[in-house]
Amino acid sequence: MKVLKFGGSSVASPENIIKIKDIISRYDDRTIIVVSAFGGVTDDLIAAGKLAENQDDSYKKILEKIEIRHLAAIKALLPIEEQSKVLSSVKKELNVLETLLDGAFSIGELTHKLSDKIVSYGELLSSFIISEYLISQGINCAYKDSRDLIITTNRNDRITVNTEKTTANCRAYFGDSTHEVIVCPGFISKSENGDATTLGRGGSDYTAALYAAAIDAEILEIWTDVSGMYTANPKMVKQAKPIAHISYEEAMELSHFGAKVLYPPTIQPVLSKGISIRIKNTFLPEAEGTLITKSKNEKGKTVRGISHISNMALLSLEGPGMVGIPGISKQFFEVLSQANISVVLITQASSEHSICIGISADDVSKAVAIVNEAFAFQIERGRIKPVIPETNLAIVALVGDNMKNHQGLSGKMFSTLGRNNVNIRVIAQGASEKNISCVIEGKDVKKALNALHEEFFEENIKQLNLFVMGVGNVGAKFLNQVRQQKKYLKENLKLNIRVIGISNSRTMVFNENGISLKNWETELANGEQANKSTFFDTVNTFNYRNSIFVDNTASNEIASTYDMYLGNSISVVTCNKIACSSEYENYNHLKELARTYNAPFLFETNVGAGLPIIDTLKHLIVSGDKIQKIQAVLSGSLNFVFNNFNDTTTLHDIVKQAQEEGYTEPDPKIDLSGIDVMRKILILARESGYRLEISDIMNESFLPKESLNADNNEDFFTSLKKHEADFQKMYNEAATKGAKLKYVAQFEDGKASVGLQQIPKGHDFYNLEGSDNIVLFYTERYPDQPMIIKGAGAGADVTASGIFADIIRIGNF
């Protein structure tokens, strides 16, 4: 004989109930069907009872809603000729329910006994309707009220099942019944005095387990809306997978720590009998589901699942008066027990100076009051401190039978959380080592679950969540590169890159599941109004692990937000040079934030676009080398300009071309004035370990004052035309010497300068073509023959590839 339980979502509509009939029809064995109330009805009944107690007659609207729903189900499920008697019976029950609610309304009180009677109607109505429907479909079916079978006892204001009487009742009834299918309401029971009682949260599962244990059922099947127990909550961890086979103990641990598919007491009645439990999906009946047995899980499986409990609080009892004093713990837990406050987690310092417990946040006020009252004498004398709660917390747990046989799991768990800046408040591990639990802030739960799942279940695939600001030349190229390489990165580098947010100066768009990079332009065009503060708030609220803010702009306003991102453990990758060339205090502050909050701050493209200039410099420094001198052509824009400028062209036309081809900033004066090069040599000096400000750099500009003082691009280009003769003179002076004009940056002895120089033949800079950059690092290890880095140093494609490379670096950290 099998016992099948169908939850509220499985019986939420006539269409779902028809699915149940199809499932039942597949069984050849006799079956007991335990059903919950129609989805949401129990909540409606509780709400109606509270309204009635408060003498708010709007409870009648809820009652009307309940009646309409059940009568509609009858009409949808039963043939017309069989509806009358069922409608009559259901209306009769609804009239009794109305009388109960009217009574609560009249006296303005809702006793526990009356509340149990009211909420029991959800299961009573659903089970009766479903049994009548199955009978109408030709199934040999009977209906049995669970109140006739499950007997409860009230002990210390707690309802407990009288197992002996319940088992006797079940064996007698089910043993004598000749029906193939017997439908019973879950959740409800009856006291020894004959009063209606309920089995509490998860009561329908418990009902089914009691029946299964009483009759020694072949199996207990729990049908719900998910395909078994998962490695993590699939609503919070998209990559979570169903667990095919799990032990009783593992299932209990996962259920205790928030896996809502199964309620922990459910397992107790079948545990001693060795009856297997299978969790199945009503809406995907062909799915294997999860089998729960007493057997151990497969060899090699350590962590079987990750679960959590939200809405938790910590209470700490501490003080010198606790050390060496017997009975303190007993008094503490006794007070909580007498108030029906469940303790979920316990830790105690070996010094006996403090005891910390985890309880539901709903019980905090009551717990604080009774504990402070119980220890008032010690508190008054300063021997124990008043209890102060910590709220907005959650418990996260790793679960697995075989965890005790593997070293380093706790270290792996805590280091994973630490890398994602998830602060751990309390750690607990039972002697059985079947779970490792820790308390964290509630806002970090989703990040923690995903980070741990990625670490323990996802074949080392690391997910990077990008938030991209700026989608002009560089930004658009970058998004295209991500789209092209996404599959390769996942297969070869085990990196799964998702773009969650995109913004330009006008609009911004977010998608928690990732923005499609095939049509991001359309999504962005239809997005909400852009706002840098709202953009940050959204990124911070998402609180994803491995979050990366990507700045493709040249905006000072955007650069000023880096500290907010880094201070919230969000990595920053940028081609924007403003932050790293701002005041040294700000530059250093950003670097310190990156270290403190374990959030990489990478800006390789600040110098040399896609060239590994900064990265190489960092490796030289960390390996113990010291910079003696840096010589460089760092502006691809200026190199492009002076490689193409000659006596047959004009500087105006070449600069215009450079701007149109994306080699210059939107404001080309930034490049031609030398400001851009000054920023780059400043960054290299700082990365070499020197404290330098941009005002310390000597700039020997080749532009006339009129060009430098231009307020806009139009005036700037006009000034270039006006002073063309001066520019031709510079060119001719260099040409007559066989030299070429190059804009050179230099750093030596703590001093930096930039300016246009005449480079003779044979010099490393002489044959620098196009928009290429070149850097010469003279160090203690390379004093005479410098380390040379040379290549394309400007252009949207190479800059985008440099940004992409920085993101991959973060992925490989």
Side-chain angles (χ1 to χ4, degrees), residues 652 655-656 659 668 712-721:
H652 169 276
V655 173
K656 197 72 174 177
Q659 183 193 42
N712 52 62
N713 283 355
E714 184 179 351
D715 290 347
F716 177 72
F717 280 111
T718 299
S719 72
L720 293 184
K721 286 183 177 180

Side-chain angles (χ1 to χ4, degrees), residues 585-598:
E585 292 300 330
N586 183 58
Y587 159 82
N588 194 50
H589 176 58
L590 295 177
K591 302 275 281 190
E592 287 181 354
L593 286 174
R595 288 190 292 269
T596 302
Y597 293 98
N598 196 32

Side-chain angles (χ1 to χ4, degrees), residues 719-753:
S719 72
L720 293 184
K721 286 183 177 180
K722 182 177 178 181
H723 295 276
E724 179 60 27
D726 295 331
F727 303 138
Q728 286 295 331
K729 182 180 179 182
M730 289 189 305
Y731 171 78
N732 289 326
E733 285 179 355
T736 56
K737 298 177 183 178
K740 290 184 179 180
L741 294 174
K742 302 290 180 184
Y743 201 87
V744 177
Q746 184 161 312
F747 175 73
E748 187 175 10
D749 297 329
K751 296 180 180 179
S753 63

